[in-house]
Amino acid sequence: MEDRIKATKEQADKLEFINAEIKRLEDESGSGFEIFKLMQEKEQLQSDYDWKDEVFEENGKKGLKNILGEIVVPAIYDGFGMLEPYYYKSTPVMAKQGEYVGLVQRDGKGTPITKFEYHLILPIFMTPFYAVWKKEDKQHFALMVGGEVFTPYEIQKHYMPCDGVLPLEADGKQGMLAYELGLIYIKPEYDEIYDEGVGSDFVFVKDGVKGRVTLDKRFISDGEYKNLSDEEQEELDEIGFICAPDW
């Protein structure tokens, strides 16, 4: 793939105009066709040019400038991870400070939003989540959102989000983060997890036994559920089971 031309103020102004027009049409309940055309134009503009920040150096330290030459992170860090595009202005970036990394804002000050105590922080595509590793265990990671780690450091792999969940894996077992249902983390301890389409409950297989998992994280085998009284089944149904959201 050829290197893309760096976006300039002209392209940035055009992008801002398109965004303003989309918002105006949406606010006025305008033509869906016009909004669709503008969205296509926006996507084309974003893909045709390189919008990513650039690293610069001063006095042995590194900072970031956006495509307009504006300083989004001053030269106070030792390096950066994956660079972010101009149009994701509120998206933080991984910065290095000594032997450790943390997330910092691209707010002109490089304001830290986490401590510098991590070995690596990687964004998870198409989600607001990050995978984070500590130096003492580079084989397992935890999940972070909003600068806060909210799972144990016990995950080894993640896959593309699908049906409102982020599939996870560790030691050959499967788990998930059901983010559309309220950040419900299911530890990787299942042989298999699958669903049968939008609106259906996920099937969890544990030690060869099929079942479902409640929103408060209890595994209920199919056999166990069938043997419950009507009242007990209703209580579980009221709590709810992890499912693929019905859009």
Side-chain angles (χ1 to χ4, degrees), residues 151-162:
T151 73
Y153 287 84
E154 62 186 8
I155 309 163
Q156 291 179 319
K157 296 179 182 178
H158 68 79
Y159 298 93
M160 288 290 290
C162 180

Side-chain angles (χ1 to χ4, degrees), residues 190 212-220 235-236 239 241:
Y190 294 92
R212 293 175 291 167
V213 172
T214 63
L215 296 183
D216 58 6
K217 304 184 182 184
R218 284 181 287 161
F219 175 72
I220 309 294
E235 287 179 2
L236 286 177
I239 293 168
F241 293 93

